[in-house]
Each structure stands twice: as C-alpha cells, then as structure tokens.
Amino acid sequence: MCYLRCLFLVVLLAGLSACSEDNRGKGRKAMEDLATSELLFQEISLETILGRPFQIEIVDSILIIGDNIDGKALFLYNLSDSSWVRVLNIGQGPGEVLAPLAIDVSDRNHTISVLQRQSGICRRYRVDRLFNDSIFDFQEVSLEGADRVAQMHDGYACLGMFEQGILSFFDAQGKESECIDLYSRFDIRDISAKYRLFQGRLAFNERARCLMFAPSYASEIAFYAEQDDGSWMKKDSFCLGTGGFEDRISESSGFELLKDDIRNCMDACSSENYFYMLYDGTDLGHTRKIEFRYVIRFYCQWCIGLCVQSESYRPQYLCLV
C-alpha cells in the first residue's frame, strides 16, 4: 500500500535503538551478517488520495510526497490535523515545474528544494508557505548537470553528469565549488555511462556537516566531511556485499547494467544523529525473490567514525515505486 511508504520515513525520523558496532576498518559484509530487528508500523490511511509516489520527505509535521497527479507535482500532508494540499503545477509556465523532479529538505531551515532534473533548475521553498500555496515565494539557482540533490547548510551537493565526475558541490548561488570523481579507478570516459552505472542517492546530516553517498548498484557507501578550507574529504565507508559489480565493470569493455545486477540503495535520508539507507536486494531482471528488505542505519558521530546496524521489515510494509 502506498501510504505505508509514507510511514516508513516517519518511523525513521523518530529514531530507533542505538548502534553498537563500529564500522571503521571493517571489510565487506553481507546483509545477512548484520544484526537485524523487525520494524513495527502504524498505518496512515492515504491510499485513496495518492497516485504513484516517487519520493517522500518530512519537515516538522508535514509529509512531502512527490506524486504527479491532477497536474500537481507535490502532495503535502499535515500529520497533526490530517489536512492536505496538492501544490506546484507541472508545466513550463510561471511558477510551474517540469518533471521529472528530485526533492530534498532541510529540517533546520524548514525548506524543500525541488530540482527539475532535465534543466538543473532548483527552487527552494519554505514548507509552511508552500502548504499555503505560495508557489511564487522561492529562491532559484541553476545546478547545471544535476540529477539528484541534497540541500546543505550553505549550498547543495548534487549527483549528475558533470565534466570532472558525478559528485559536485555548489554554493547557495549555484556556483560549482568542487567536483569529485568517485570512480576514477575505472577507465570510463563517457560520463553518461559512468553516471548510469554509479548513480545513487545523497543525504546530508546538518549537525555533523557530513554527506552520505549511497550507490544504487555499486557496493561502497561513502561518507564525506567538510574541511576547514571548504573542501570535502572522504572520512569513512561501508562496503556491502562482495564487490562483484565493481569487479565486472573493471573487467568489461561494455559499460551496461545487466539483468542480474542487484539494486542496493532505493533511497537515503538522515535525522539528527543517523543516516538511513533503504536497501532493495532484487535484481534488475526481477528474477531474484527476497523475503525481507532492509533499512540500514548508520550512526554519525561528527564524521569521526560510523557504526552500522540494519533494521529489517517485511516487504508488504512498503509500497515500491
């Protein structure tokens, strides 16, 4: 049921039990080797007013659901009083947005960033004003080449097809400050092919000023911290699985996704002290059957070290999109 996906993020942001396993220096781990516990859910009946949600975030008591329905891009639901609105017309007119979209939020600033993935245009709205349909009250920047966005304290981190790599950092005015080639060890000159293979999701922890990159198909989940000079340095990582995907790319001359490639990260987010990654585990050919999907939780201690613990849940508790 689609509305159960909404509750998934609510449960995450409410916080779970503390991590106890230090990840620094750990090698690769299979999902079944991680300590697990089953999540419990309380249903919110939104099924009749949702279409096909593609992304979800939360700010204060407002659920923000990317859901292209009735010509509107976003569905906002107030958990406090069950009121809701649909906002942002889809189109190319004044105040409208052009799909496909990617969204991200800042709890500290109570804002949502809406990235128009075709053009790189990103608009930042106050969530409370957007709930009241103030669609022209936004700050706009151009993040050329961006396909995914994470809103940071003073700018944006983006994944996309950039000249120097697939991870770039922009200031609040949209000026690129740094670009990192996450996979420089692979001899892939076509940036579109590199991005297709190593795409993923970003999450920014405002308290720790730390960024998590969780790839869709590759094995290494990486954590970056901002340095005193404003640059970003990889501080830690966690390798999930055997690394077979990377081995195949290293040995191949054809850089394509295959039907037996496993989808790792479906989505990522953060709360005050934790990062969360939603792990899929199915293959692209839809031949691998799984009994469980997982939320993997990383404890972020000011980016000095990270520990990992997974929380398992039964597939029927999540509506996949």
Side-chain angles (χ1 to χ4, degrees):
M1 307 287 274
C2 289
Y3 60 83
L4 293 174
R5 187 171 195 271
C6 304
L7 192 57
F8 150 70
L9 190 59
V10 178
V11 173
L12 294 188
L13 296 179
L16 303 169
S17 60
C19 289
S20 60
E21 186 174 357
D22 184 7
N23 175 56
R24 182 172 292 277
K26 295 282 184 181
R28 295 188 175 101
K29 296 193 78 171
M31 181 63 67
E32 56 267 21
D33 294 333
L34 302 177
T36 63
S37 60
E38 186 173 340
L39 296 179
L40 301 177
F41 294 86
Q42 178 182 354
E43 295 186 6
I44 301 175
S45 184
L46 299 180
E47 181 183 15
T48 58
I49 49 179
L50 289 181
R52 290 185 56 84
F54 60 87
Q55 196 173 348
I56 181 171
E57 300 288 349
I58 185 169
V59 172
D60 300 325
S61 63
I62 306 297
L63 278 176
I64 304 164
I65 304 172
D67 189 26
N68 185 346
I69 189 171
D70 294 338
K72 304 284 187 179
L74 298 181
F75 173 81
L76 307 185
Y77 181 85
N78 191 328
L79 294 167
S80 298
D81 59 15
S82 300
S83 60
W84 57 270
V85 295
R86 299 189 191 279
V87 295
L88 296 185
N89 288 332
I90 297 174
Q92 302 185 59
E96 297 180 337
V97 293
L98 187 62
L101 304 174
I103 61 176
D104 192 61
V105 299
S106 169
D107 290 330
R108 183 188 67 174
N109 296 323
H110 312 283
T111 56
I112 175 174
S113 291
V114 179
L115 174 68
Q116 301 176 57
R117 295 165 62 189
Q118 288 188 15
S119 64
I121 297 298
C122 185
R123 294 174 179 172
R124 184 179 294 197
Y125 303 83
R126 285 272 309 185
V127 173
D128 55 349
R129 296 172 187 169
L130 192 59
F131 194 91
N132 292 314
D133 209 26
S134 298
I135 61 172
F136 293 101
D137 187 2
F138 59 79
Q139 296 175 333
E140 182 177 292
V141 297
S142 176
L143 307 174
E144 187 175 353
D147 185 62
R148 299 288 177 184
V149 64
Q151 191 175 161
M152 301 194 302
H153 49 281
D154 55 1
Y156 304 88
C158 298
L159 293 174
M161 292 177 282
F162 305 110
E163 185 176 346
Q164 301 299 323
I166 68 170
L167 173 61
S168 277
F169 297 89
F170 297 83
D171 64 19
Q173 288 71 48
K175 180 180 179 181
E176 187 178 37
S177 59
E178 184 177 4
C179 187
I180 299 176
D181 188 354
L182 299 174
Y183 297 95
S184 58
R185 66 185 184 275
F186 297 97
D187 185 22
I188 306 176
R189 299 183 181 182
D190 183 348
I191 189 61
S192 63
K194 180 176 283 190
Y195 183 71
R196 181 172 61 252
L197 292 170
F198 298 113
Q199 61 186 287
R201 298 299 179 95
L202 296 171
F204 181 69
N205 187 289
E206 297 188 53
R207 180 186 177 195
R209 300 172 75 92
C210 183
L211 181 75
M212 177 177 76
F213 166 64
S216 298
Y217 311 108
S219 304
E220 185 181 79
I221 303 165
F223 301 86
Y224 289 82
E226 188 177 20
Q227 306 304 293
D228 292 338
D229 62 359
S231 64
W232 290 82
M233 179 179 292
K234 182 177 171 182
K235 287 292 187 179
D236 214 331
S237 63
F238 183 80
C239 290
L240 189 64
T242 65
F245 180 82
E246 288 88 339
D247 292 341
R248 177 176 70 80
I249 299 303
S250 295
E251 298 168 359
S252 174
S253 58
F255 305 117
E256 300 294 336
L257 293 170
L258 304 180
K259 289 185 177 180
D260 57 354
D261 287 331
I262 302 300
R263 187 182 185 188
N264 292 325
C265 177
M266 294 180 65
D267 208 348
C269 66
S270 72
S271 60
E272 183 176 5
N273 296 312
Y274 299 96
F275 286 110
Y276 305 93
M277 189 194 92
L278 179 58
Y279 175 82
D280 186 0
T282 59
D283 60 13
L284 296 182
H286 305 292
T287 60
R288 177 177 174 175
K289 296 182 179 180
I290 58 173
E291 184 178 1
F292 296 97
R293 290 190 172 91
Y294 297 86
V295 175
I296 308 177
R297 186 184 61 182
F298 299 89
Y299 174 54
C300 185
Q301 190 173 14
W302 303 97
C303 284
I304 296 174
L306 291 144
C307 66
V308 62
Q309 178 173 315
S310 68
E311 301 287 346
S312 66
Y313 59 92
R314 299 187 184 279
Q316 62 264 32
Y317 290 156
L318 184 70
C319 177
L320 303 180
V321 295

